[in-house]
Amino acid sequence: MRGIKIGVIGAGSVIWSSTIVHDLCLTEGLSGSTVSLMDIDEGRLETAMNFARRYSSERKFDINFEKTTDRKEAIRDADLVVNMAMAGGHPYYEKMRRISEIHGYYRGINAVEWNMVSDYHTIWGFKQFKLALEIARDVEQFSPEAWYIQLSNPVLELTTLLGRETKLKIIGICHGHLESEEVANAIGFNEAEMQIESIGLNHTIWMTKFMRDGENEYPVLNDWINSSYENFLKDWRLLSKSNPFMSQMSPAMVDMYGYFGLVPVGDTVRSGTWKYHRDLRTKKQWYGDMGGFDSRQGWNYYLQVERKITQDLKKAVDDVNVPLSNSYPSEISQEPVIPLVDALLNDKRIVHQVNVMNEGAIDGIPGNVAAEFPATVDGHGVHRQEGKSLPQRILNFSITPRIMRMEWAIEAFLEGGKQTLDSWLISDPRTQNNKQAENVIEALLSIPENQEMARHFR
Amino acid sequence: MRGIKIGVIGAGSVIWSSTIVHDLCLTEGLSGSTVSLMDIDEGRLETAMNFARRYSSERKFDINFEKTTDRKEAIRDADLVVNMAMAGGHPYYEKMRRISEIHGYYRGINAVEWNMVSDYHTIWGFKQFKLALEIARDVEQFSPEAWYIQLSNPVLELTTLLGRETKLKIIGICHGHLESEEVANAIGFNEAEMQIESIGLNHTIWMTKFMRDGENEYPVLNDWINSSYENFLKDWRLLSKSNPFMSQMSPAMVDMYGYFGLVPVGDTVRSGTWKYHRDLRTKKQWYGDMGGFDSRQGWNYYLQVERKITQDLKKAVDDVNVPLSNSYPSEISQEPVIPLVDALLNDKRIVHQVNVMNEGAIDGIPGNVAAEFPATVDGHGVHRQEGKSLPQRILNFSITPRIMRMEWAIEAFLEGGKQTLDSWLISDPRTQNNKQAENVIEALLSIPENQEMARHFR
C-alpha cells in the first residue's frame, strides 16, 4: 500500500513550514508519509527542506520529504494539499500600500471596515485569488479526491471562491480563534478548563460560548470589566508602547463587546469599523501606543519580527552543530494544520475550528458563504451541526457588511472591469471625490507587477 | 349587506387624496363604499373632505365620505386601510436636515448610498416608523381582516417592518416604476405598446424586461444611447436649469445602466451611490443644473411646487362657482392605489406593481424582505411567481447594500440605543471623526420634537 502524500504549496514560508514539520513529527498516524514541499523561491524552499530533513531525522520520525518548484509535482496523487502561498509576498503588498497612501488611503485601499487586517488581501488580491484558483485547478486535475486546505489569507474569500468555482473538498483554517484564551486568562481562568466557542466568518468571529463546568462565565467577565479592566489597562498601555499585538484585550475589544453583546475574537478585534481605524490617532486610542497591528508602525514591527524569526531559523538550519529540536517543545503546537490533516487522512474524530460553506450551520449566513465554527471532523470531512446563531446586531452590523465586501472582492476577481474597483472605493470614507478613486486605481494598475491585473480591470 | 369601508390615514395630504377621490369616482366597483378620511390636521382634513364631497357629487358617484381626527374611527371595521401619513411632515424633516448640515452632513444623515431620495426617511424615521406601527396595531385590533396598503415612504422599510411585526395583509405601493415609460418615449416608442418589467426593492428597481411585440428592445436603447444621447443631453441640460425632476433620462441613469447592465427605474436613479451624490458639484454633473431632485435647490423647488398645488387645490375647493371636475380628465389616473383597492375588494384579477415580502419571488433577496415586482393581484391578494432574477452585480452592489441599510434602520427603530445611530454614521464618508458623528446625533436628539426619540436612542 502506498503511503500518504501531502503537498505543501508555499512551503518556503519557513515560519509556517517549520511548525508544520514539528507537528508532523509528533503525529504518529502520519509516519511513513511523503511530504512534498513546493515553492517558487528556491532559496527559501532549500531552507525549509533542510529544516524538515534535519528536524525529522533528529526526532527519528519516519517521514519522507521532497522538494520541488513545480506545483503539479507536489500536487500529483496527493491525499491532501495545503495552500499557504502568498502570491507576490509582503514586498508587493507593501508597495501597493505605499501607492495607496500617496493617494490618501492610509494602509491601502484594501483596508476598510471589517477588513483592516494588513495581510488579508481582498479587493487588491488579484494575484492571490488567481494563484489559489490555479492551485485548486491543479488539484482538480492531478489529485481530484484530495483534501484542499486553505491556510493563507484571505481565508473567507478564498474558501468561498474555491467552494463555488471548484468541486474540491475544501477547508479553510486560521488560528485566530485561539486568542479567546487570552480573555479567559485575563480574568484568572485556566483556558484548559473552559469550553469556548467562537463563530461567524473568518476574521469576524464572536464568542458565543464562554463556559466552565457547564456554567456561563460571561457574567464573571462583565464583573471583571467593570471592576478591574481600568487597572488592567494601565499595564496594557505601558506594554503597548513596545508591543502592537495586544488587540484581544484592547479597549477596542471591550467597546465592541459592549455594543455587540459578544466578545470579538482574534483578528475580529483588529478588523472592526472606521470607529477604530479612522486615523492613526484613533488607532492608538483603541489598540495601544503603536496604533496596534495595523498601523504603519505596528505592521512594520510585525514584518521585522517575521524577518528576524526567518533569519534565525535559517541560521539554525545552517548551524549543524546545534540540534534544531533543542528549540522546540516536546508537544505539538497549537497550530490547526496537522491535527486536521491527521483527522481527515486517518479518520480520527476531533472537534476542530473550520471554515467551510455554511450550508445552514449558522443562521443568517447564506449557504454558499464560507463560515467559521468548530465542528466534528473525521475521515468523511466536516460534520456541520445546524442551528448555531448569532445576535441580530452582529448579523446586521458586522457579518452582513463583511459578506458584502467579500462578494465585491470575488466579483472583482471573477468579472474584472475597472468599475468593480471603483465601486469599492466610492463607499470608502477616505474617498473625497471620484477623481481620487480613479487616480489610485490607475496608479496601482500601472506598476510593472500588475500588468496582468491591469488587463483584467481596465 | 354592508358596503365596503375604506380608511384613509393621512388624508390631509390633499394632493394624494384628491387623486384617490378622482380615481374612486371612476371605479364602478367601489360605488356605494364608505371612505373614512382621517388626519390629525383638521384644516387640511376639512379641505380634503370638501374636495371629496364636491367632486363625487359633481361626478354623481354614489359614495359616502366621512372625516375624522380619530384614527381608530377610520380603521374600525374597514375592509382596507391606506396609510399615506407622514409623521411630522416636511417641516420636521427639513429641520432635521438643517441640523445635519451644520454638522457636515449635506441633505441629512439619512441621505446615504442607495437612499438619497429626500423624503425616504429611514434611520431618522423614528416618528414615521412608530406611527406606521401604531396604525398597523390599530388595524390588527379594529379590522384584523382588512388589507393594509402602505403608500407613504419609506415603503421598503415600513412594508418589511410591518410584515415582520404584525399579522396583517400588507402591500406597499409606489408609482416610481412608471418612469420606465420615459425611457421608451425618449427612443421613440409608445409606452402603451411595450411590456416593461422593473423589479428589486422599492426605490431600487431595475428594468428586467423592455419588450415590444415579444421582442427585447434593449438593443434599440443601446443604439440610441450611442448615437443620440449626446444630442438629447443638450436639450436635457437646458431644461435642467429650471427643472430638477428629470433624473430618469439623466447621465446618472446612463452611467448606472452602463455599469449594472439594466436600466435603473424611477427613484432608483436618484438613490444611487456617492459617485453621484458626493457634493453639489457632483450632483449637478449627474442630475442637471439644479443638482436634481435631491440637492437643496432641487428639493426646495419640489416643496414649493407641492405647496403651490396644495394651495391651488384649496382655492379650487373653496371656489364653489367653478366645477372641480373641470380640472380633471375623464380617465382614471396612473396612480396605483385605487385599481389595487378594486382588485383586492372586488376580486378583480389584475397585474400590479407591489411591494410584499419576497418569499422566493426574486432570487437572492431574503424571504422576509419586502421586494418590489409586478404580480397578479385579486381578492386573494398577491400571487407571487417564483424565480425572477437580477444580475449578480446588481445584487452585490445595489440590492445588498440597500438591504443592509434597511436592516440597520429597522434595528435602530426596534432596539434603540445610540450606537445603532452611531454605526450608521461611522460608515458614512462624510464623517471625518467619531466626535462629529456623536455631535450630530446629540444635536438631532436635542430638539423639542425629538424628546421621545431621544429617550429611545440615548
Side-chain angles (χ1 to χ4, degrees):
Chain A
M1 194 190 112
R2 155 185 104 73
I4 286 167
K5 178 179 174 183
I6 299 168
V8 181
I9 311 299
S13 167
V14 72
I15 297 182
W16 271 102
S17 57
S18 62
T19 304
I20 287 178
V21 167
H22 165 76
D23 289 349
L24 267 171
C25 292
L26 291 165
T27 304
E28 206 41 56
L30 296 170
S31 77
S33 305
T34 294
V35 178
S36 182
L37 304 174
M38 182 270 157
D39 207 290
I40 54 167
D41 184 323
E42 292 191 42
R44 291 163 63 110
L45 181 61
E46 180 76 19
T47 304
M49 183 65 174
N50 289 342
F51 179 93
R53 287 219 168 122
R54 270 192 62 199
Y55 192 85
S56 57
S57 141
E58 288 176 21
R59 289 279 185 197
K60 301 192 183 4
F61 191 71
D62 172 24
I63 190 163
N64 175 37
F65 286 103
E66 298 172 355
K67 73 177 167 78
T68 176
T69 55
D70 177 1
R71 193 166 69 212
K72 293 173 177 55
E73 203 178 300
I75 288 172
R76 184 170 287 117
D77 299 328
D79 300 285
L80 185 145
V81 174
V82 179
N83 177 14
M84 52 190 223
M86 185 187 189
H90 285 304
Y92 167 65
Y93 288 107
E94 293 313 301
K95 187 170 178 182
M96 298 271 273
R97 232 186 286 281
R98 278 197 303 279
I99 292 166
S100 302
E101 292 190 345
I102 291 168
H103 291 271
Y105 298 90
Y106 181 61
R107 309 299 302 146
I109 63 166
N110 190 70
V112 297
E113 62 272 34
W114 302 109
N115 197 50
M116 297 292 180
V117 173
S118 302
D119 58 353
Y120 215 81
H121 305 297
T122 62
I123 192 66
W124 69 8
F126 176 77
K127 279 183 201 285
Q128 180 73 342
F129 284 44
K130 183 165 175 285
L131 176 61
L133 191 55
E134 284 170 358
I135 294 169
R137 292 288 180 223
D138 283 349
V139 177
E140 278 187 319
Q141 190 175 352
F142 298 107
S143 55
E145 294 306 313
W147 296 99
Y148 175 98
I149 309 296
Q150 182 64 43
L151 185 59
S152 50
N153 282 327
V155 167
L156 168 60
E157 275 76 4
L158 295 182
T159 309
T160 303
L161 173 72
L162 301 185
R164 291 178 185 176
E165 298 291 319
T166 77
K167 294 197 174 76
L168 299 180
K169 299 179 288 184
I170 298 160
I171 304 175
I173 50 178
C174 181
H175 51 200
H177 67 102
L178 297 169
E179 290 191 45
S180 56
E181 295 177 357
E182 289 188 31
V183 183
N185 293 338
I187 64 177
F189 289 151
N190 178 353
E191 84 270 5
E193 327 174 310
M194 301 204 64
Q195 302 84 49
I196 299 179
E197 178 185 83
S198 305
I199 69 170
L201 310 168
N202 184 238
H203 284 206
T204 317
I205 53 172
W206 302 84
M207 198 165 76
T208 40
K209 200 184 281 181
F210 187 59
M211 300 182 88
R212 202 177 47 152
D213 301 331
E215 201 168 327
N216 175 22
E217 300 291 7
Y218 256 116
V220 179
L221 175 61
N222 296 343
D223 288 347
W224 181 84
I225 288 175
N226 291 330
S227 65
S228 308
Y229 186 65
E230 203 179 315
N231 241 329
F232 174 94
L233 207 50
K234 286 177 193 153
D235 291 342
W236 184 93
R237 281 260 170 236
L238 272 176
L239 289 168
S240 82
K241 287 185 194 303
S242 56
N243 180 352
F245 309 146
M246 305 190 303
S247 52
Q248 186 60 63
M249 295 308 296
S250 67
M253 180 278 276
V254 175
D255 191 73
M256 288 164 87
Y257 170 39
Y259 178 46
F260 286 104
L262 295 178
V263 168
V265 171
D267 301 296
T268 315
V269 186
R270 292 164 61 186
S271 290
T273 66
W274 291 105
K275 179 175 186 181
Y276 311 107
H277 293 278
R278 199 165 294 283
D279 48 33
L280 182 58
R281 202 175 57 86
T282 310
K283 283 177 186 265
K284 287 183 174 181
Q285 177 194 346
W286 295 109
Y287 298 101
D289 284 10
M290 292 177 79
F293 232 124
D294 305 296
S295 68
R296 195 179 301 162
Q297 198 188 355
W299 188 247
N300 283 340
Y301 182 80
Y302 165 75
L303 293 178
Q304 267 173 37
V305 168
E306 209 197 45
R307 264 196 302 276
K308 178 77 167 56
I309 297 175
T310 305
Q311 282 163 3
D312 290 351
L313 265 164
K314 188 167 164 17
K315 262 188 228 155
V317 170
D318 293 343
D319 181 359
V320 290
N321 297 317
V322 183
L324 283 169
S325 48
N326 279 11
S327 322
Y328 286 82
S330 52
E331 304 88 42
I332 195 166
S333 79
Q334 282 201 309
E335 287 301 335
V337 187
I338 296 304
L340 179 68
V341 172
D342 192 27
L344 292 169
L345 297 184
N346 294 314
D347 194 19
K348 291 196 179 150
R349 205 169 173 79
I350 61 170
V351 171
H352 202 82
Q353 187 85 357
V354 294
N355 290 264
V356 288
M357 286 306 201
N358 186 50
E359 292 175 11
I362 304 176
D363 296 341
I365 295 181
N368 68 344
V369 169
E372 177 168 326
F373 49 84
T376 304
V377 181
D378 60 21
H380 299 282
V382 172
H383 301 277
R384 289 169 189 75
Q385 246 190 320
E386 291 200 1
K388 290 183 191 293
S389 67
L390 285 165
Q392 196 59 40
R393 179 161 294 187
I394 288 178
L395 289 175
N396 285 345
F397 290 95
S398 161
I399 299 290
T400 300
R402 185 63 191 84
I403 290 176
M404 184 176 78
R405 290 280 188 176
M406 179 272 286
E407 295 289 2
W408 292 6
I410 287 181
E411 174 157 337
F413 171 69
L414 290 176
E415 303 296 328
K418 208 163 169 175
Q419 287 173 306
T420 50
L421 301 182
D422 204 42
S423 293
W424 179 274
L425 283 164
I426 283 299
S427 63
D428 185 317
R430 297 167 298 184
T431 301
Q432 300 298 309
N433 55 68
N434 297 344
K435 197 72 197 147
Q436 180 192 358
E438 284 171 35
N439 288 345
V440 72
I441 292 170
E442 202 42 48
L444 288 169
L445 295 181
S446 298
I447 62 174
E449 295 92 324
N450 284 342
Q451 279 185 23
E452 189 185 359
M453 183 174 170
R455 280 197 299 278
H456 183 67
F457 283 110
R458 264 177 192 150
Chain B
M1 195 189 113
R2 153 185 104 74
I4 285 167
K5 177 179 173 182
I6 299 168
V8 181
I9 312 299
S13 167
V14 73
I15 296 181
W16 271 101
S17 57
S18 62
T19 304
I20 286 178
V21 167
H22 165 75
D23 288 350
L24 267 171
C25 293
L26 291 165
T27 305
E28 206 41 56
L30 295 170
S31 78
S33 305
T34 294
V35 178
S36 181
L37 305 174
M38 182 271 157
D39 207 290
I40 53 168
D41 184 322
E42 292 190 44
R44 291 163 62 109
L45 181 61
E46 180 76 18
T47 303
M49 182 65 174
N50 290 342
F51 179 94
R53 286 222 168 121
R54 270 192 62 199
Y55 192 85
S56 57
S57 139
E58 287 178 22
R59 289 279 185 195
K60 300 192 181 11
F61 192 71
D62 172 24
I63 190 162
N64 175 36
F65 287 102
E66 297 172 354
K67 73 177 166 80
T68 176
T69 55
D70 177 1
R71 193 167 68 213
K72 292 172 178 57
E73 203 176 301
I75 289 171
R76 183 170 286 119
D77 299 327
D79 300 284
L80 185 145
V81 174
V82 179
N83 177 15
M84 53 190 222
M86 185 188 189
H90 285 304
Y92 167 65
Y93 288 107
E94 293 312 302
K95 188 170 178 181
M96 298 272 273
R97 232 186 285 281
R98 277 197 302 279
I99 293 166
S100 302
E101 293 191 343
I102 291 169
H103 291 270
Y105 297 91
Y106 181 62
R107 307 302 301 147
I109 63 166
N110 190 69
V112 295
E113 62 272 35
W114 301 108
N115 197 50
M116 296 292 180
V117 174
S118 301
D119 58 352
Y120 214 81
H121 305 297
T122 62
I123 191 67
W124 68 8
F126 176 77
K127 279 183 200 286
Q128 182 72 343
F129 284 43
K130 183 164 175 284
L131 176 62
L133 191 53
E134 284 170 357
I135 294 168
R137 292 288 180 224
D138 284 349
V139 177
E140 278 187 317
Q141 188 174 353
F142 299 107
S143 54
E145 295 306 314
W147 296 99
Y148 175 99
I149 308 295
Q150 183 64 44
L151 186 58
S152 50
N153 281 328
V155 167
L156 167 60
E157 275 76 4
L158 295 181
T159 309
T160 302
L161 173 72
L162 302 184
R164 292 178 185 177
E165 299 291 318
T166 76
K167 295 196 174 75
L168 299 179
K169 300 179 288 185
I170 298 161
I171 304 174
I173 49 179
C174 181
H175 50 199
H177 66 103
L178 296 169
E179 290 190 46
S180 56
E181 295 176 357
E182 289 186 32
V183 182
N185 293 337
I187 64 177
F189 289 152
N190 178 356
E191 83 271 4
E193 322 174 316
M194 300 204 66
Q195 301 86 48
I196 299 179
E197 178 185 82
S198 305
I199 69 170
L201 310 169
N202 184 239
H203 284 206
T204 316
I205 52 173
W206 301 84
M207 199 164 75
T208 41
K209 200 183 280 179
F210 187 59
M211 300 181 90
R212 204 178 46 153
D213 301 330
E215 201 168 330
N216 175 23
E217 300 291 7
Y218 258 115
V220 178
L221 175 61
N222 296 344
D223 288 347
W224 181 83
I225 288 175
N226 292 330
S227 65
S228 309
Y229 186 65
E230 201 178 317
N231 241 330
F232 173 94
L233 207 49
K234 286 177 193 154
D235 291 342
W236 184 94
R237 281 259 170 236
L238 271 176
L239 289 168
S240 81
K241 288 184 193 302
S242 57
N243 181 352
F245 309 147
M246 304 191 303
S247 50
Q248 186 60 62
M249 295 308 296
S250 66
M253 179 279 274
V254 175
D255 191 73
M256 288 165 86
Y257 170 40
Y259 178 45
F260 287 103
L262 294 178
V263 167
V265 172
D267 301 296
T268 314
V269 186
R270 292 165 60 187
S271 290
T273 66
W274 292 105
K275 177 175 187 182
Y276 311 106
H277 293 278
R278 197 165 294 283
D279 48 34
L280 182 58
R281 202 177 56 88
T282 311
K283 283 177 186 264
K284 286 183 175 181
Q285 176 193 346
W286 294 109
Y287 298 101
D289 283 12
M290 291 176 79
F293 232 125
D294 304 296
S295 68
R296 195 179 300 163
Q297 197 188 356
W299 188 247
N300 283 340
Y301 182 81
Y302 166 75
L303 293 178
Q304 267 172 36
V305 168
E306 209 197 46
R307 265 196 302 277
K308 178 75 167 57
I309 298 176
T310 305
Q311 283 162 1
D312 290 352
L313 265 164
K314 187 165 163 20
K315 261 188 227 156
V317 171
D318 293 344
D319 181 359
V320 290
N321 297 317
V322 183
L324 284 170
S325 47
N326 278 11
S327 321
Y328 286 81
S330 53
E331 304 89 42
I332 196 166
S333 79
Q334 282 201 307
E335 286 301 336
V337 187
I338 296 305
L340 179 67
V341 172
D342 192 27
L344 291 169
L345 297 183
N346 294 313
D347 194 19
K348 292 197 178 148
R349 204 168 174 80
I350 61 170
V351 171
H352 203 81
Q353 187 87 355
V354 295
N355 289 264
V356 288
M357 287 306 201
N358 187 50
E359 293 175 10
I362 303 176
D363 296 340
I365 295 180
N368 68 344
V369 169
E372 177 167 327
F373 48 84
T376 305
V377 181
D378 60 21
H380 300 281
V382 173
H383 301 277
R384 288 168 190 75
Q385 246 188 321
E386 292 198 2
K388 290 183 192 291
S389 67
L390 286 164
Q392 195 60 40
R393 179 161 293 185
I394 287 178
L395 289 174
N396 285 345
F397 290 95
S398 162
I399 299 290
T400 300
R402 185 63 191 84
I403 290 176
M404 184 175 80
R405 290 281 187 173
M406 179 273 285
E407 296 290 1
W408 292 7
I410 288 182
E411 174 159 335
F413 172 69
L414 290 177
E415 303 296 329
K418 208 163 169 175
Q419 287 172 306
T420 49
L421 301 182
D422 204 42
S423 294
W424 179 274
L425 284 164
I426 283 298
S427 62
D428 185 318
R430 297 167 299 183
T431 300
Q432 300 298 310
N433 55 68
N434 297 343
K435 196 72 199 147
Q436 181 192 359
E438 285 171 33
N439 287 345
V440 73
I441 292 170
E442 201 40 50
L444 289 168
L445 296 181
S446 298
I447 63 173
E449 296 91 324
N450 283 344
Q451 279 184 22
E452 188 185 359
M453 183 175 170
R455 279 196 300 279
H456 182 68
F457 283 110
R458 267 178 190 149

